[in-house]
Amino acid sequence: MSAKLVEQIGHLRKSLKAIILAHNYQRPEVQDIADFTGDSLELSRKAAGTDAEVIVFCGVHFMAETAKILSPHKTVLLPDEEAGCPMADMITLEQLEAEKAKYPGVMVVCYVNSSAAVKAGSDICCTSANAVQVVNAVEKDQPILFIPDQYLGQYAMNRTGREMHLWPGYCPTHMKIGVGDLRRQRARYPGCKVVVHPECRPDVIDEADEALSTSGIIRYARSYQGNTLIVGTEIGILHRLKKENPAVEYIPVTERSVCPNMKRITLEKVLCSMEEMQPTIEVPESIRQGALAAVERMLAL
Ligand code: 13P
Ligand code: SF4
């Protein structure tokens, strides 16, 4: 059944001149049919640079929306329109405007895990791969409001030494990764390194050896000298880690770190979306222009 699905998707990919992009947290079989798998920053760059006419985005809504912001004339398909990101929903444009009003002259650094409208109300975007670089690029005496992830913001504050106002958003999936889980795995696998995502809580990041974006974790594993690596992020990443570097054994900090939204995308839904050319992602032009400015400022760094 799966082989047939893969074949049908392959035919449609050709006839539609489509590119299939998948985030590192996607189901293994979805990652395996993708033309490109990566972190949010890499996927944005890919979406901006592709000459395909259709982008099939296997990820969550804000990622597909970023692709549409960058490529407005392409059809962007999100195979399950319910695949959202709860963190992105933790701030609205109205809330952002009210917060900005509290800090006159504030510069808004917005994690890409946000809606197009919120991006449009922000000055510059960042991803987990470049948050430190983006914050460092802001003029030294400029006050900063970092939205919506308080923990990525806290991480960037610690790495840059910059004070920032933080919006209290968080990723529910990364909140399932506790410092107790990390200690338990360290005790079970003494001498092994622990690498986590910067969306984790500060106590988890403090006890890890590295905090990196999803593709940063994959690059780290490529040059890892040990036999076992302990990984603290959404467990979909384990597929790519094992596939690209099978000599290392990967142990999740906890098996509970599963993002249900990422798992909504299935091969069946990918095929169905390509057959029906929906659900498509649309962004009103007035919002897109503002969001594009914030995304392009990030990509230009
Ligand atoms: P990356 O940009 O590191 O892939 O992270 C995206 C994300 O949603 C993490 O939860
Ligand atoms: Fe959003 Fe967290 Fe899922 Fe990433 S893992 S898409 S931040 S809910």
Side-chain angles (χ1 to χ4, degrees), residues 23 25 60 62-63 84-88 111 113 170-174 199 234 259-262:
H23 186 263
Y25 295 158
V60 292
F62 76 82
M63 296 179 176
C85 168
M87 184 209 286
Y111 191 23
N113 298 38
Y170 61 90
C171 163
T173 297
H174 284 83
E199 284 177 15
E234 210 278 344
C259 176
N261 285 285
M262 284 284 179

Side-chain angles (χ1 to χ4, degrees), residues 169-228:
Y170 61 90
C171 163
T173 297
H174 284 83
M175 289 312 95
K176 292 184 182 153
I177 301 171
V179 76
D181 302 311
L182 190 157
R183 288 179 186 157
R184 212 168 302 123
Q185 298 298 48
R186 268 216 200 272
R188 227 177 255 166
Y189 301 95
C192 296
K193 298 279 191 206
V194 179
V195 59
V196 302
H197 194 274
E199 284 177 15
C200 288
R201 270 188 280 246
D203 56 351
V204 172
I205 294 179
D206 284 350
E207 292 211 14
D209 296 289
E210 287 287 349
L212 297 165
S213 80
T214 56
S215 288
I217 293 174
I218 290 157
R219 281 190 292 276
Y220 181 91
R222 277 187 207 133
S223 56
Y224 186 57
Q225 298 297 313
N227 298 322
T228 304

